[in-house]
């Protein structure tokens, strides 16, 4: 499965906001946005071009893609599924992105960033309803139980992440026991609870609907 492996702080600077790729570092003064809040490149500090129309739509799509760690093809496939579902396409899209297993692991506090959550899932540390799942794009549904597998409960990365996120609020659609390293999906994500970043999903729908 393809993934971006380049310098991630450049992506935050390009979008002009924190995308929380580096966990605790993003909340410190070492964050690239705190030190160099301008777009990367030779003339990034001097030129601030006005973004309108297609540019706004593109930036919104890129921001959401990068935040969740998706490349173009899987993101487009997810949009097409959202389009066929009942309800509002943009909200369906965000709901499915939130219900990805790597995002759920991140939201539960078993990882400090999306990239770390993806790695934890890929390395087979997570089970859903008692069965090992190592696919980050796996979509959980209401009633599913997500937990760190028995053999991974002393993993220092997971324990360190749990301690670092001890005071981070958990979305209302999740129920988490961080001491037991397990949680449950008790509802479906509502629009007001979706994503940590400001998103205008209608621009993404407009972009793909052309």
């Amino acid at each position: 499965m393809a993934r971006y492996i380049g310098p991630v702080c450049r992506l935050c600077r390009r979008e002009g906001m924190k995308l929380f790729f580096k966990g605790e570092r993003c909340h410190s003064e070492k964050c690239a946005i705190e030190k160099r809040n301008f777009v990367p490149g030779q003339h990034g500090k001097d030129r601030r071009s006005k973004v309108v129309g297609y540019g706004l739509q593109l930036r919104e799509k890129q921001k959401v893609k990068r935040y969740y760690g998706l490349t173009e093809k899987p993101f487009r496939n997810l949009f097409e599924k959202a389009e066929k579902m009942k309800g509002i396409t943009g909200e369906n899209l965000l709901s499915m992105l939130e219900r990805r297993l790597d995002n759920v692991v991140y939201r539960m506090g078993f990882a400090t960033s999306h990239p770390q959550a993806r790695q934890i899932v890929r390395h087979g540390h997570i089970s859903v309803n008692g069965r090992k799942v190592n696919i980050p794009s796996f979509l959980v549904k209401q009633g599913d139980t997500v937990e760190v597998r028995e053999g991974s409960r002393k993993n220092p990365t997971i324990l360190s992440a749990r301690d670092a996120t001890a005071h981070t609020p958990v979305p209302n659609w999740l129920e988490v026991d961080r001491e037991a390293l397990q949680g449950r999906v008790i509802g479906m994500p509502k629009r007001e609870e979706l994503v940590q970043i400001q998103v205008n999903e209608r621009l993404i729908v407009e972009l793909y609907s052309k």
Side-chain angles (χ1 to χ4, degrees):
M1 186 180 291
R3 63 189 177 92
Y4 177 78
I5 58 173
V8 293
C9 289
R10 287 176 62 91
L11 302 184
C12 293
R13 290 173 57 208
R14 183 62 187 87
E15 304 307 332
M17 65 172 58
K18 296 184 181 186
L19 298 178
F20 304 100
F21 290 124
K22 292 193 173 181
E24 294 175 85
R25 183 187 177 97
C26 297
H27 299 283
S28 73
E29 67 280 356
K30 294 181 180 179
C31 176
I33 289 291
E34 302 291 343
K35 294 162 69 176
R36 294 178 292 170
N37 191 10
F38 52 86
V39 296
Q42 184 178 358
H43 303 291
K45 195 171 185 179
D46 305 321
R47 294 182 183 174
R48 289 189 175 273
S49 56
K50 186 176 181 181
V51 182
V52 295
Y54 172 78
L56 281 174
Q57 297 167 350
L58 179 63
R59 289 269 58 84
E60 203 67 23
K61 181 199 72 167
Q62 293 293 81
K63 177 173 67 178
V64 175
K65 268 176 50 183
R66 289 166 172 173
Y67 176 72
Y68 286 104
L70 273 68
T71 53
E72 178 63 27
K73 188 173 181 179
F75 188 82
R76 180 65 183 252
N77 290 341
L78 211 59
F79 175 82
E80 289 174 358
K81 287 181 183 178
E83 211 172 18
K84 294 174 184 176
M85 294 168 61
K86 292 182 180 179
I88 302 170
T89 300
E91 292 186 11
N92 292 340
L93 174 64
L94 292 181
S95 177
M96 285 194 290
L97 288 167
E98 279 289 295
R99 290 189 292 113
R100 282 173 53 99
L101 183 58
D102 56 355
N103 183 71
V104 171
V105 169
Y106 171 57
R107 289 277 185 256
M108 287 183 170
F110 304 153
T112 57
S113 66
H114 278 113
Q116 188 180 72
R118 178 190 174 100
Q119 186 180 59
I120 287 170
V121 174
R122 290 293 291 159
H123 287 190
H125 297 305
I126 301 297
S127 67
V128 179
N129 299 329
R131 299 182 64 180
K132 182 177 84 169
V133 179
N134 62 0
I135 303 170
S137 60
F138 179 88
L139 292 182
V140 302
K141 58 184 184 297
Q142 188 170 348
D144 283 351
T145 298
V146 178
E147 60 185 335
V148 176
R149 298 179 69 212
E150 188 68 37
S152 303
R153 295 196 174 181
K154 293 184 180 179
N155 183 291
T157 300
I158 296 173
L159 294 179
S160 176
R162 181 194 64 181
D163 294 342
T165 59
H167 301 294
T168 303
V170 177
N172 292 331
W173 55 282
L174 294 174
E175 184 179 72
V176 182
D177 183 346
R178 283 177 172 158
E179 286 302 313
L181 293 174
Q182 65 179 15
R184 192 163 155 268
V185 183
I186 59 174
M188 297 294 280
K190 296 180 181 178
R191 176 61 188 91
E192 58 271 18
E193 299 173 317
L194 297 175
V195 301
Q196 286 180 307
I197 58 174
Q198 187 176 356
V199 172
N200 186 344
E201 66 275 14
R202 287 176 294 180
L203 292 175
I204 301 174
V205 174
E206 290 170 8
L207 178 65
Y208 280 132
S209 299
K210 288 181 178 178

